[in-house]
């Protein structure tokens, strides 16, 4: 109760400057690349909607607790978030099902993005592939299993289990080992047995890029959105195409339940999903498009997760598996891997 | 000593009330969260916390690093502060400026510098290989050694400043006098310098130990997820799992450890009177 | 000979303390894209880039204001308290000392969280105001302790004599005590300023749109890229502080009080 009160008061506080405007839309988003979003998305939208956008940023835990704390009187109208975080919110009955008729550009999306959670609780706006970046002059990578192989001992980094990339790595290691069950018990134990061979469990792709550029690490799984950092390095990095394929994930848009600002929120979602805006955001190398009609140059495409063939081939970990198992993964991870 | 109690309280109470209302009350409420359950008061949060092997390891590691950092800082700090206090005033001012300089650099960047220094291709490994001490680069990053060095560099200036400030009060002729009278440096230190600077050591020791316990950025960047300390564990629990009970337990442990260190140092200081 | 030993100790200590700073200066002057030492060629582009980043400018102003005014407020509260604790026979002096010292031993993350949840929000303060109060509270222990330490060995008979000779208590304080503890007060100010300016964990939770302290902003920047501009900014901040210490030395003869 106290928590609810404090958080709602906080939101009033934060939103206060916006109240002066007649029409405002409050969105909650990742803090990354805000300058680029402003140019490609926010400013053009404000120019056509005759409204003011209020942007709240933060990490997903903060943003989710804000949405939860204000369930009775939502401050956030729409949010962009990972698909499993969206499912967690949907299970708590905090989201409104989307009326896709109000989002004409919805029809242009890749199939996988149209209704990733079922019941139209969310719609995907960007995909990312995830594979292994490695030093071509030092090692060869053909399989996800190579990550724990002798040849990389002492020179490999894995993503931390608590980030988005961690579970994807578990899934692919599981696939390589032929483990089907989503508890990944054997995979985590295997990582634990090799813990001394792993330089560190990184949390941010910027951190990994630095480690790989100073030759601390020669191979690690990472999201495609970080690829440009490796590509521009003087060291010979390559993007692996392992036998098990690439992993993938999706970020989605959601609508908070009963926010009273649905019309404007739909208008904004539709604008964001339009071919024009998705192209602009893709060309700025921020997000890979979920709109199948987006066409970009080969050079731009190389930095993104782009094209029907690639997107349809991605191994996507079902959001439900992540939220159902995450607690157990972290528990086992803490006991066996970082001890 | 002035006797007017009312006057003294009027001077001291604003600060105390400010700290009480802004600090002790809100933090107290947060700490009490670990003792609350649906059915009343409980110690279950603490029992659960210490039942996990990871938490035990992290607790012991934090204690160990805190003691090592504070102890090393005190030893180097005394040598440095004493050397500095004997300089000419102009040189002393310049050296003092250099000592506090690292304090002005954001801990983010200071810690980050160590990634470059301690890396496989960093200058420390270059030196080790150049001197023939090892054929291949030694892993330094993401080890307790890295965290120790980072914390020591981060907090040693606080120790030196505290000791220098206390050495201000050593009368200039006391040490030469003791030496003339035949005291060894060892005796001078324990009989003259230490008693006269114990206030500084208590301040410095508490600042460094507490700083090392509650630093977040250094263990996060230099230790990563493989060398968790209580503060990074706390952050992980709050930020990943919204686990306020563990956060509250860890906060209590850190506070108790800091208080204990402060009391212990004070006790040692009074015992030497 | 004795001097040589002293300088060797000072030299080694300074190398350890300042070495990383030198590396940061050069890493910030790299011509390459990534932070590295030795740098990948030299250029000033990252130093120039720092000034073009709007959020750094905003957060610098905020952090500067918080550090200066928060520390002044803490001294305003802390110096009288330190004086009272040293010179008066107070009931509960130990309790007061502990209360005043408490902000230093509470982990920053918990402080930020506690202030946010139980203090700031119910009382409807702005984020900036909350930051100011939090930073004042954080600096308070430094102010009290450092000034106390300085007062501790300053004999009280001088001010008693001043009072006997007809000074008021206030005059005795400003004319006799204050000049003698100037070094301590200045050390407390610098320590407080630094603590406040570099504070990360408390400010982590106390931020809002457009209200972010500089270290938090630097961290946020590093979440996106580790490019050398953060190193360049750190070097610039350090030069700024060097200038402050230099001016303090020139104007106040700072080192005489150390």
């Amino acid at each position: 109760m106290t928590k609810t009160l404090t958080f709602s008061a906080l939101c009033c506080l934060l939103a206060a400057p916006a109240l002066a405007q007649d029409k405002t839309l409050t969105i909650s988003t990742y803090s990354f690349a805000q300058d680029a979003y402003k140019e490609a998305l926010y400013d053009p939208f404000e120019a056509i909607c005759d409204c003011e956008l209020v942007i709240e940023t933060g990490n997903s835990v903060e943003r989710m607790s804000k949405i939860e704390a204000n369930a009775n009187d939502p401050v956030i109208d729409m949010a962009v978030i990972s698909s499993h975080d969206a499912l967690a919110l949907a299970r708590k009955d905090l989201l409104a099902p989307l009326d896709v008729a109000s989002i004409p550009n919805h029809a242009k999306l890749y199939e996988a993005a149209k209704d990733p959670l079922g019941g139209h609780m969310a719609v995907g706006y960007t995909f990312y592939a995830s594979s292994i970046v490695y030093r071509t002059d030092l090692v060869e990578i053909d399989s996800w299993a190579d990550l724990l192989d002798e040849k990389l001992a002492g020179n490999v980094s894995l993503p931390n289990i608590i980030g988005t990339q961690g579970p994807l790595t578990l899934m692919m290691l599981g696939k390589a080992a032929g483990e089907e069950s989503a508890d990944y018990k054997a995979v985590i134990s295997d990582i634990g047995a090799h813990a001394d061979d792993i330089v560190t469990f990184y949390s941010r792709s910027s951190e990994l890029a630095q480690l790989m550029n100073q030759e601390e690490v020669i191979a690690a799984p990472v999201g495609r959105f970080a690829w440009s950092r490796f590509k521009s390095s003087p060291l010979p990095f390559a993007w692996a195409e392992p036998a098990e394929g690439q992993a993938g994930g999706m970020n989605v848009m959601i609508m908070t339940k009963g926010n009273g600002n649905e019309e404007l929120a739909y208008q904004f979602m539709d604008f964001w999903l339009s071919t024009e805006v998705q192209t602009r955001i893709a060309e700025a190398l921020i997000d890979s498009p979920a709109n199948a009609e987006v066409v970009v140059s080969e050079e731009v495409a190389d930095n993104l997760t782009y094209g029907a063939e690639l997107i349809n081939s991605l191994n996507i970990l079902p959001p439900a598996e992540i939220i159902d198992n995450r607690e157990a993964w972290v528990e086992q991870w803490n006991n066996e891997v970082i001890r | 000593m002035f006797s007017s109690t009312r006057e003294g309280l009027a001077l001291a109470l604003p600060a105390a009330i400010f700290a009480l209302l802004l600090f002790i009350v809100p933090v107290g409420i947060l700490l009490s969260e670990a003792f609350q359950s649906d059915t009343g008061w409980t110690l279950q949060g603490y029992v659960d916390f210490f039942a996990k092997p990871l938490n035990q390891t992290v607790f012991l590691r934090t204690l160990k690093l805190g003691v090592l950092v504070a102890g090393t800082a005190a030893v180097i700090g005394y040598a440095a502060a004493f050397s500095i206090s004997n300089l000419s005033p102009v040189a002393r001012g310049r050296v003092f400026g250099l000592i506090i300089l690292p304090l002005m650099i954001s801990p983010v960047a200071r810690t980050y510098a160590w990634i470059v220094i301690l890396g496989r291709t960093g200058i420390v490994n270059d030196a080790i290989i150049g001197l023939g001490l090892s054929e291949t680069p030694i892993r330094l990053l993401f080890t307790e050694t890295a965290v120790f060095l980072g914390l020591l560099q981060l907090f040693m200036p606080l120790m030196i400043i505290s000791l220098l400030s206390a050495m201000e009060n050593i009368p200039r002729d006391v040490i030469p006098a003791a030496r003339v009278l035949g005291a060894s440096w060892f005796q001078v230190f324990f009989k003259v310098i230490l008693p006269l600077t114990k206030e500084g050591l208590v301040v410095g020791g508490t600042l460094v130990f507490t700083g090392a316990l509650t630093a977040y950025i250094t263990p996060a960047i230099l230790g990563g997820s493989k060398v968790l300390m209580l503060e990074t564990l706390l952050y992980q629990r709050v930020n990943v799992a919204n686990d306020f009970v563990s956060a509250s337990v860890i906060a209590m442990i850190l506070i108790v450890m800091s208080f204990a260190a402060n009391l212990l140092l004070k006790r040692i200081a009074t015992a030497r009177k | 000979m004795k001097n040589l030993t002293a300088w060797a100790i000072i030299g080694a200590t300074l190398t350890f303390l300042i070495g990383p700073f030198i590396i940061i200066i050069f890493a910030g002057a790299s011509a390459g894209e990534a932070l590295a030492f030795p740098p990948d060629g030299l250029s000033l582009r990252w130093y120039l880039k720092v000034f073009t980043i709007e959020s750094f400018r905003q957060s610098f102003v905020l952090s500067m204001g918080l550090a200066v005014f928060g520390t002044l407020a803490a001294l305003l509260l802390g110096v009288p308290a330190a004086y009272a604790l040293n010179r008066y026979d107070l009931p509960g002096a130990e309790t007061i000392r502990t209360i005043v010292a408490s902000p230093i031993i509470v982990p920053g993350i918990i402080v930020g969280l506690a202030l946010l949840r139980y203090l700031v929000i119910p009382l409807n303060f702005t984020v900036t105001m909350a930051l100011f109060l939090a930073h004042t509270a954080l600096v308070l222990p430094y102010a009290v302790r450092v000034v106390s330490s300085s007062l501790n060995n300053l004999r009280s008979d001088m001010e008693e004599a001043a009072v006997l000779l007809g000074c008021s208590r206030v005059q005795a304080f400003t004319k006799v005590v204050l000049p003698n503890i100037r070094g301590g007060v200045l050390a407390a100010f610098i320590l407080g300023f630094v603590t406040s300016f570099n504070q990360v964990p408390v400010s982590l939770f106390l931020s809002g749109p457009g209200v972010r302290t500089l270290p938090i902003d630097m961290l946020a920047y590093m979440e996106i890229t580790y490019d050398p501009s953060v190193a360049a900014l750190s070097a610039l901040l350090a030069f700024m502080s060097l200038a402050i210490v230099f001016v303090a030395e020139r104007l106040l003869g700072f080192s005489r009080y150390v």
Side-chain angles (χ1 to χ4, degrees):
Chain A
M1 188 54 208
T2 324
K3 190 174 160 188
T4 316
L5 274 177
T6 44
F7 270 114
S8 54
L10 170 69
C11 297
C12 297
L13 206 68
L14 296 178
L19 294 177
Q21 293 278 330
D22 279 1
K23 254 168 68 180
T24 62
L25 179 69
T26 307
I27 70 164
S28 167
T29 178
Y30 296 99
S31 39
F32 122 96
Q34 285 306 303
D35 290 345
Y37 277 121
K38 189 171 180 332
E39 201 186 317
L41 175 64
Y42 306 151
D43 286 351
F45 183 70
E46 282 183 330
I48 61 162
C49 76
D50 188 28
C51 67
E52 197 197 354
L53 276 178
V54 178
I55 318 292
E56 295 210 358
T57 61
N59 70 41
S60 32
V61 174
E62 270 169 38
R63 298 196 292 125
M64 284 168 74
S65 34
K66 206 172 273 186
I67 291 173
E68 191 175 351
N70 295 295
N72 295 325
D73 184 16
V75 173
I76 307 291
D77 298 317
M78 75 80 76
V80 295
I81 203 159
S82 72
S83 53
H84 56 268
D85 286 340
L87 181 62
L89 291 176
R91 285 191 180 173
K92 288 179 181 159
D93 198 25
L94 296 167
L95 304 186
L98 298 172
D99 171 23
V100 292
S102 306
I103 313 175
N105 284 311
H106 181 267
K108 300 177 185 166
L109 300 181
Y110 288 108
E111 276 312 310
K114 282 184 175 167
D115 188 13
L117 303 182
H120 290 293
M121 299 310 287
V123 53
Y125 72 95
T126 185
F127 288 98
Y128 56 85
S130 188
S131 187
I132 300 166
V133 169
Y134 67 101
R135 285 277 295 276
T136 50
D137 55 335
L138 299 174
V139 69
E140 216 171 280
I141 302 285
D142 314 305
S143 158
W144 285 80
D146 290 344
L147 287 173
L148 297 179
D149 192 89
E150 187 59 33
K151 67 185 173 189
L152 284 179
N155 293 305
V156 64
S157 178
L158 297 186
N160 200 333
I161 184 75
I162 60 187
T164 337
Q165 295 294 314
L168 296 179
T169 303
L170 288 188
M171 167 179 70
M172 297 314 289
L173 284 171
K175 202 169 177 205
E179 185 182 338
E180 292 298 320
S181 123
D183 64 15
Y184 299 123
K185 277 215 162 82
V187 175
I188 297 175
S189 296
D190 204 22
I191 295 175
H194 289 87
D196 290 341
D197 297 337
I198 295 162
V199 176
T200 188
F201 300 97
Y202 75 88
S203 330
R204 308 236 165 244
S205 54
S206 57
E207 181 190 357
L208 179 70
Q210 175 65 26
L211 291 176
M212 293 193 72
N213 272 309
Q214 69 178 50
E215 305 188 45
E216 206 72 33
V217 168
I218 61 172
V222 68
R224 184 72 177 183
F225 47 81
W227 170 237
S228 58
R229 290 200 189 113
F230 297 96
K231 214 177 64 166
S232 61
S233 167
L235 298 169
F237 288 118
W239 184 260
E241 296 192 357
E244 301 83 11
Q246 301 186 25
M250 187 192 316
N251 290 340
V252 299
M253 299 173 168
I254 52 173
M255 171 92 79
T256 53
K257 198 173 171 179
N259 64 50
N261 209 358
E262 285 79 3
E263 198 184 325
L264 203 52
Y266 280 131
Q267 195 189 346
F268 181 65
M269 289 182 180
D270 191 52
F271 185 70
W272 193 334
L273 296 175
S274 67
T275 313
E276 178 202 347
V277 172
Q278 288 254 314
T279 307
R280 211 153 49 209
I281 291 177
E283 280 170 351
L285 307 185
I286 316 170
D287 287 326
S288 301
N291 181 325
E293 293 184 2
V294 172
V295 179
V296 292
S297 70
E298 212 167 292
E299 194 193 333
V300 169
D302 187 52
N303 287 300
L304 300 173
T305 304
Y306 176 77
E309 195 190 337
L310 173 62
I311 285 172
N312 292 329
S313 76
L314 296 176
N315 292 284
I316 293 180
L317 189 56
E321 275 187 24
I322 298 181
I323 49 178
D324 290 343
N325 291 292
R326 190 160 51 183
E327 194 69 15
W329 292 338
V330 172
E331 182 81 31
Q332 194 195 348
W333 183 275
N334 283 348
N335 287 331
E336 295 183 23
V337 180
I338 57 178
R339 292 180 290 237
Chain B
M1 199 56 92
F2 299 124
S3 54
S4 165
T5 303
R6 188 184 289 182
E7 199 178 284
L9 284 179
L11 289 172
L13 280 185
I17 292 170
F18 181 84
L20 191 69
L21 288 184
L22 274 161
F23 241 81
I24 297 185
V25 170
V27 169
I29 299 174
L30 197 82
L31 290 178
S32 71
E33 278 191 26
F35 297 105
Q36 284 166 0
S37 74
D38 297 339
T39 54
W41 297 94
T42 175
L43 281 173
Q44 200 55 40
Y46 285 80
V47 175
D48 291 347
F49 181 84
F50 279 105
K52 295 191 176 143
L54 174 72
N55 295 349
Q56 294 168 12
T57 315
V58 171
F59 168 73
L60 292 175
R61 178 186 291 139
T62 307
L63 183 63
K64 182 177 80 181
L65 282 171
V67 170
L68 276 177
V69 169
T72 314
V75 171
I76 300 177
Y78 262 111
F82 186 69
S83 305
I84 294 169
S85 70
N86 282 328
L87 297 176
S88 71
V90 174
R92 207 188 314 161
R94 297 215 172 116
V95 173
F96 182 78
L98 288 173
I99 295 281
I100 65 163
L101 176 67
L103 283 176
M104 302 296 291
I105 306 172
S106 164
V108 180
R110 264 197 288 169
T111 305
Y112 191 70
W114 285 104
I115 287 204
V116 182
I117 297 168
L118 298 175
R120 287 174 78 83
T121 54
I123 46 180
V124 171
N125 263 317
D126 284 354
I128 289 175
I129 294 172
L131 293 171
L133 297 176
S134 167
E135 299 255 308
T136 50
I138 294 173
R139 169 147 317 289
L140 294 164
L141 273 185
F142 310 114
T143 62
E144 288 185 7
T145 312
V147 179
F148 169 77
L149 286 173
L151 290 174
L152 185 64
Q153 195 252 354
L154 206 55
F155 294 112
M156 201 156 68
L158 295 178
M159 177 66 90
I160 299 179
I161 290 174
S162 304
L163 291 177
L164 271 176
S165 164
M167 281 183 191
E168 217 178 317
N169 302 313
I170 300 182
R172 281 184 196 286
D173 41 6
V174 166
I175 293 166
R179 291 286 289 158
V180 167
L181 292 172
S184 68
W185 274 115
F186 187 78
Q187 285 169 318
V188 169
F189 179 75
F190 282 102
K191 302 267 176 189
V192 181
I193 301 180
L194 192 60
L196 284 172
T197 56
K198 60 181 196 267
E199 188 83 12
L201 181 63
V202 172
V203 174
T206 311
L207 289 178
V208 175
F209 182 75
T210 309
L213 291 192
T214 58
Y216 171 71
I217 291 170
T218 305
I221 295 184
L222 294 180
S225 51
K226 287 179 89 175
V227 189
L228 280 175
M229 285 178 69
L230 283 173
E231 186 87 348
T232 37
L233 182 67
L234 186 157
Y235 185 79
Q236 200 199 75
R237 294 315 301 167
V238 172
N239 235 12
V240 178
N242 248 335
D243 176 2
F244 289 108
V245 172
S246 288
S248 169
V249 171
I250 296 172
M252 181 64 98
I253 297 171
L254 289 171
I255 291 170
V256 168
M257 280 164 90
S258 306
F259 259 116
N262 186 242
L263 287 179
L264 194 71
L265 283 168
K266 269 191 192 151
R267 179 66 54 81
I268 295 172
T270 16
R272 297 237 174 245
K273 231 171 205 170
Chain C
M1 185 59 218
K2 202 181 114 196
N3 248 338
L4 208 65
T5 321
W7 278 112
I9 293 171
I10 294 170
T13 311
L14 285 179
T15 308
F16 178 67
L17 293 179
I18 309 284
F21 170 59
I22 308 288
I23 284 174
I24 284 294
I25 296 177
F26 281 103
S30 170
E33 296 293 322
L35 205 62
F37 185 85
D40 199 7
L42 289 177
S43 104
L44 281 180
R45 68 177 173 130
W46 300 109
Y47 280 91
L48 296 176
K49 189 184 170 191
V50 167
F51 292 97
T52 66
I53 300 174
E54 173 70 27
S55 74
F56 282 167
R57 282 207 294 262
Q58 283 177 5
S59 52
F60 175 80
V61 171
L62 177 67
S63 278
M64 204 63 186
L66 286 174
V68 170
F69 293 109
T71 307
L72 286 179
L75 284 173
L76 224 51
L77 291 167
V79 174
Y83 186 69
L85 288 167
N86 270 275
R87 292 294 191 263
Y88 290 83
D89 190 14
L90 294 183
E94 216 29 54
T95 313
I96 293 176
R97 217 183 279 272
T98 309
I99 290 174
V100 170
S102 63
I104 212 171
I105 53 170
V106 179
I109 286 177
I110 283 295
V111 172
L113 207 58
L115 289 190
L116 183 69
R117 293 175 68 182
Y118 305 116
L119 194 81
V120 174
I121 307 314
L123 302 180
N124 241 356
F125 290 169
T126 63
V127 174
T128 313
M129 187 64 191
L131 278 167
F132 169 72
L133 292 174
H135 281 240
T136 303
L138 274 173
V139 172
L140 188 59
Y142 293 88
V144 174
R145 284 183 176 200
V146 176
V147 174
S148 275
S149 177
S150 208
L151 271 171
N152 214 22
N153 287 1
L154 179 72
R155 292 161 54 173
S156 60
D157 44 9
M158 289 214 317
E159 58 225 76
E160 277 159 16
V163 172
L164 283 177
L165 290 172
C167 277
S168 71
R169 204 48 75 67
V170 175
Q171 282 172 323
F173 180 77
T174 52
K175 298 216 162 136
V176 179
V177 180
L178 213 50
N180 277 293
I181 59 166
R182 223 159 49 159
V185 173
L186 197 59
F189 181 84
I190 291 174
L191 216 56
F193 179 90
V194 160
T195 311
S196 166
F197 199 84
N198 288 331
Q199 178 59 40
V200 173
V202 168
S203 319
L204 208 50
F205 285 94
L206 298 175
S207 66
V211 184
R212 234 189 209 168
T213 64
L214 189 56
I216 300 293
D217 211 37
M218 288 164 78
L219 265 188
Y221 187 84
M222 282 174 60
E223 283 183 10
I224 298 156
T225 169
Y226 268 47
D227 80 26
S229 52
V230 170
L233 174 56
S234 308
L236 290 173
L237 292 176
F239 283 124
M240 177 191 84
S241 59
L242 199 61
I244 292 173
V245 173
F246 185 75
V247 171
E249 166 70 24
R250 277 294 141 101
L251 293 183
L252 298 167
F254 184 40
S255 60
R256 275 184 293 143
Y257 298 99
V258 173

